[in-house]
């Protein structure tokens, strides 16, 4: 295989890949023999290869023969390897592998069997297991995407004896791009990084990305947005259905797009590439070049780029979901108590600096224990869920609704005066009183407190709001009680609903 590529170029690029993924990377021929090796193997693997290298060679030979696309399997010692085939001149000549991946917490049994197979003491391998870093699912997805990208790009560059320095520079830009999108969960940053990469890598004048449920458009040259929209609507109609790239040498000469007035404003060739995930088109990258520019030769790289972008965006979505789950009450879809305490503390601190008012409403469901005892806890959960929906409809968009715990709820009203806060609290009580909840009529008792200059602590405001709530309960329930704190040195006075 070495006679087919430039060894120095191949080794250089493979070293960068190993450094990026933080794992050993090898290139093997179809017999499983290592041609290029990069990165450092953990001592666990060093022991295995020293005593049982023939078994490692057989594993690599098996993986290289099976790899048609991205192929993942375990070795005889229990570690994973991710393999992609290397194809030069339409012929598979070997495989690129990321090895020594620990994706399973328990390796002891496999390690013991491997040790006996190759003539080691079991403890020699078992003791080294904790020194192998455990890879998470999203990290494995990233490695797969990187391998796919470089399996397409690397042979094309390294097979040229007189290397095109510009292409090698583009590959280094690709490494930088992967490092950047792997280091953030910020969606606009991922998309803008992708746009910048496209402008540096492809011979184009402009580019754009459509992504997400609303297909929001991110573009490099924003002054072309109006002209590009109808063009890209037509491109999207094709790409989203066919899930394949579309290349037009000149937009103006296309039968369909040439009829659009905007085609003469853009006057470009275009390569539209789908962003695919699990076989579904999630978005589109549009690359605009001068008329007559042959963008077809960049299809493979652009497709690999789109796949890597979607991996990064999927990871960002998982991160955002995890963040939201940490602060959201799943039953009511309101913020939870943890978020409320932190947010309320920050709001009171902010308002105190400017001597602005802060208001807090707290309420609970009347006779909720009896409701649970009578209709059962599943019906109680249903009531709480519906209460969350009623609450969100009854308060303002800038007010923050939270489930405080059990059947208690709170609403934070920033910079809201006493009379306005009390009006919101009463409106909320009336909304609940007039709503048809399941099984029987449901009411709430409400407490409201306003500190006109936010000079008291958040804890004191919660305590006073709770005291107002219990005053409503003791007065017969289904009513609102309001308190006002003019200043921390002047005590609390009652306001009438």
């Amino acid at each position: 295989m070495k006679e087919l590529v430039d060894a120095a170029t191949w080794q250089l690029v493979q070293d960068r890949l190993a450094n990026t993924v933080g794992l050993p990377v090898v290139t093997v021929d179809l017999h499983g023999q290592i041609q290029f090796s990069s990165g450092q193997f953990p001592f666990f693997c060093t022991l295995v290869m020293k005593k049982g290298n023939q078994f490692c060679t057989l594993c690599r030979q098996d993986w290289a023969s099976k790899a048609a696309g991205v192929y993942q399997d375990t070795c005889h010692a229990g570690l994973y390897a991710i393999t992609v085939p290397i194809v030069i001149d339409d012929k598979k000549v070997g495989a690129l592998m990321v090895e020594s991946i620990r994706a399973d917490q328990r390796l002891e049994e496999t390690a013991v069997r491997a040790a006996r197979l190759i003539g080691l003491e079991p403890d020699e391998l078992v003791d080294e297991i904790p020194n192998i870093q455990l890879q998470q699912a999203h990290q494995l997805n990233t490695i797969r995407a990187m391998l796919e990208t470089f399996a397409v790009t690397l042979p094309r560059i390294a097979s040229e004896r007189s290397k095109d320095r510009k292409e090698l520079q583009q590959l280094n830009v690709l490494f930088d791009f992967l490092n950047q999108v792997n280091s953030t969960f910020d969606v606009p940053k991922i998309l803008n990084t992708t746009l910048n990469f496209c402008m540096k890598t492809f011979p184009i004048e402009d580019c754009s990305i459509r992504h997400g449920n609303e297909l929001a458009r991110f573009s490099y040259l924003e002054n072309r947005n109006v002209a590009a929209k109808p063009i890209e609507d037509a491109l999207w109609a094709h790409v989203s259905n066919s899930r394949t790239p579309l290349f037009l040498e000149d937009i103006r000469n296309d039968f369909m797009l040439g009829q659009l007035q905007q085609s003469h404003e853009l006057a470009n060739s275009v390569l539209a590439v789908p962003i695919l995930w699990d076989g579904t088109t999630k978005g589109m990258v549009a690359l605009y070049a001068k008329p007559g520019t042959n963008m077809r030769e960049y299809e493979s790289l652009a497709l690999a780029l789109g796949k890597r972008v979607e991996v990064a965006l999927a990871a960002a979505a998982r991160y955002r979901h995890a963040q939201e789950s940490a602060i959201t009450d799943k039953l009511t879809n309101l913020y939870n108590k943890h978020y409320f305490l932190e947010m309320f503390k920050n709001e009171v601190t902010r308002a105190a600096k400017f001597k602005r008012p802060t208001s807090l409403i707290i309420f609970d469901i009347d006779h909720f224990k009896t409701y649970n005892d009578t209709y059962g806890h599943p019906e109680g959960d249903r009531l709480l869920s519906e209460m969350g929906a009623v609450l969100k409809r009854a308060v303002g968009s800038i007010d923050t609704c939270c489930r405080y715990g059990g059947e208690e709820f709170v609403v934070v009203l920033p910079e809201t005066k006493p009379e306005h806060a009390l009006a919101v609290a009463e409106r909320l009580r009336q909304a609940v009183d007039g709503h048809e909840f399941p099984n029987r009529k449901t009411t709430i008792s409400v407490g409201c407190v306003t500190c006109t200059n936010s000079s008291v602590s958040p804890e004191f405001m919660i305590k006073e709001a709770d005291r107002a709530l219990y005053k409503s309960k003791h007065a017969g329930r289904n009513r609102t009680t309001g308190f006002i704190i003019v200043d921390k040195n002047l005590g609390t006075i009652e306001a009438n609903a």
Side-chain angles (χ1 to χ4, degrees):
M1 179 182 163
K2 284 188 174 181
E3 68 275 7
L4 299 175
V5 299
D6 183 81
T9 302
W10 193 284
Q11 188 68 60
L12 173 66
V13 176
Q14 186 174 286
D15 288 346
R16 288 289 307 271
L17 177 58
N19 183 62
T20 300
V21 299
L23 289 165
V25 180
V26 297
T27 298
V28 303
D29 61 21
L30 293 178
H31 301 291
Q33 298 293 329
I34 294 178
Q35 305 297 303
F36 302 94
S37 180
S38 303
Q40 185 173 356
F41 285 91
F43 190 61
F44 179 100
C45 294
T46 303
L47 288 173
V48 171
M49 289 188 289
K50 184 177 181 180
K51 297 287 287 187
N53 191 52
Q54 70 273 23
F55 296 106
C56 298
T57 301
L58 287 173
C59 286
R60 292 179 179 124
Q61 183 180 10
D62 181 55
W63 298 335
S65 65
K66 290 179 178 177
V70 178
Y71 180 76
Q72 181 175 314
D73 206 346
T74 54
C75 71
H76 61 288
L79 294 179
Y80 283 85
I82 299 177
T83 303
V84 290
I86 296 169
V87 178
I88 296 178
D89 295 331
D90 298 324
K91 181 181 178 182
K92 182 162 73 170
V93 297
L96 188 64
M97 301 173 180
V98 175
E99 297 192 349
S100 304
I101 299 172
R102 182 185 170 201
D104 194 339
Q105 290 278 10
R106 294 187 291 274
L107 281 176
E108 286 79 3
E109 289 185 16
T110 311
V112 169
R113 287 197 299 270
R116 289 170 179 162
L117 178 67
I118 62 179
L120 286 172
E121 289 296 324
D123 287 348
E124 290 185 77
L125 288 186
V126 171
D127 290 347
E128 288 300 320
I129 291 174
N131 297 324
I132 307 173
Q133 184 177 353
L134 188 65
Q135 303 292 321
Q136 303 300 322
H138 71 276
Q139 293 171 307
L140 296 181
N141 287 335
T142 297
I143 293 169
R144 291 189 195 98
M146 285 186 180
L147 276 181
E148 282 187 289
T149 300
F150 291 106
V152 170
T153 311
L154 186 50
R156 180 167 59 85
I157 295 175
S159 61
E160 298 177 7
R161 284 287 178 179
S162 56
K163 298 178 293 295
D164 184 337
R165 292 295 174 185
K166 183 178 180 182
E167 287 192 333
L168 189 56
Q169 182 182 7
Q170 288 175 355
L171 194 60
N172 283 325
V173 173
L174 180 56
F175 270 115
D176 294 337
F177 164 73
L178 291 172
N179 283 327
Q180 287 182 56
V181 296
N182 287 340
S183 66
T184 182
F185 293 118
D186 181 76
V187 171
K189 185 175 180 180
I190 291 171
L191 296 177
N192 285 322
T193 298
T194 304
L195 293 175
N196 288 329
F197 168 77
C198 290
M199 294 301 295
K200 290 178 182 178
T201 306
F202 303 111
I204 57 176
E205 297 180 329
D206 189 20
C207 59
S208 70
I209 299 176
R210 284 188 171 196
H211 186 270
N213 294 334
E214 298 178 1
L215 294 175
R217 184 178 188 270
F218 291 76
S219 63
Y220 192 79
L221 298 177
E222 294 186 356
N223 61 336
R224 291 162 52 106
N225 283 355
V226 175
K229 186 180 185 309
I231 300 292
E232 291 180 7
D233 286 344
L235 294 173
W236 171 249
H238 173 87
V239 167
S240 60
N241 289 319
S242 69
R243 300 193 295 278
T244 59
L246 174 64
F247 171 66
L248 300 175
E249 193 170 350
D250 191 329
I251 294 173
R252 295 169 296 182
N253 297 335
D254 181 73
F255 175 74
M256 293 292 294
L257 298 186
Q259 300 180 46
L260 298 173
Q261 178 184 347
Q262 291 82 358
S263 66
H264 297 276
E265 295 181 43
L266 294 183
N268 284 121
S269 66
V270 63
L271 174 63
V273 179
I275 297 176
L276 299 172
W277 184 255
D278 289 337
T280 303
T281 310
K282 298 290 187 180
M284 178 181 74
V285 178
L287 305 174
Y288 296 96
K290 291 181 179 179
T293 304
N294 182 17
M295 294 294 292
R296 268 190 212 284
E297 61 184 280
Y298 297 95
E299 277 189 16
S300 296
L301 180 57
L303 275 170
L305 170 72
K307 187 172 290 187
R308 182 64 202 100
V309 169
E310 185 53 39
V311 169
L313 292 171
R318 288 193 299 272
Y319 177 75
R320 186 173 62 252
H321 177 71
Q323 279 192 315
E324 291 173 353
S325 296
I327 61 174
T328 303
D329 175 65
K330 293 181 180 178
L331 186 61
T332 61
N333 284 323
L334 304 176
Y335 290 114
N336 59 22
K337 182 177 180 179
H338 174 76
Y339 176 83
F340 159 68
L341 292 175
E342 188 66 26
M343 172 268 188
F344 188 51
K345 175 184 175 183
N346 293 336
E347 180 57 37
V348 172
T349 301
R350 185 197 64 80
K353 287 182 180 179
F354 304 100
K355 296 187 178 351
R356 304 293 297 167
T358 302
S359 296
L360 177 67
I361 295 170
I362 186 167
F363 71 89
D364 72 4
I365 301 172
D366 295 331
H367 304 296
F368 184 70
K369 183 179 183 305
T370 304
Y371 189 97
N372 261 344
D373 293 342
T374 303
Y375 302 105
H377 288 279
E379 285 299 302
D381 288 348
R382 183 181 166 202
L383 175 62
L384 290 169
S385 177
E386 198 161 326
M387 184 64 70
V390 173
L391 170 56
K392 281 198 282 192
R393 288 195 299 267
V395 302
S397 59
I398 65 168
D399 304 327
T400 304
C401 306
C402 313
R403 184 182 176 195
Y404 192 57
E407 70 273 27
E408 280 193 314
F409 297 79
V410 292
V411 183
V412 179
L413 300 92
E415 299 199 17
T416 303
K417 296 179 179 179
E419 60 273 22
H420 295 147
L422 201 56
V424 172
E426 180 60 16
R427 184 172 73 237
L428 171 60
R429 185 198 65 78
Q430 291 176 4
V432 172
D433 192 36
H435 185 78
E436 290 189 17
F437 286 94
N439 299 311
R440 75 180 191 193
K441 182 176 178 60
T442 298
T443 61
I444 58 174
S445 297
V446 187
C448 176
V449 64
T450 300
C451 183
T452 57
N453 62 1
S454 300
S455 58
V456 298
S457 68
E459 294 78 12
F460 185 76
M461 284 194 68
I462 294 171
K463 178 182 175 183
E464 290 299 275
D466 207 41
R467 190 164 69 88
L469 162 64
Y470 278 92
K471 189 175 179 66
S472 292
K473 293 182 94 61
H474 293 150
R477 294 186 171 85
N478 191 21
R479 63 193 63 218
T480 301
T481 300
F483 287 165
I484 301 173
I485 306 168
V486 177
D487 184 81
K488 63 181 180 180
N489 297 316
L490 299 178
T492 304
I493 59 175
E494 185 173 346
N496 296 318

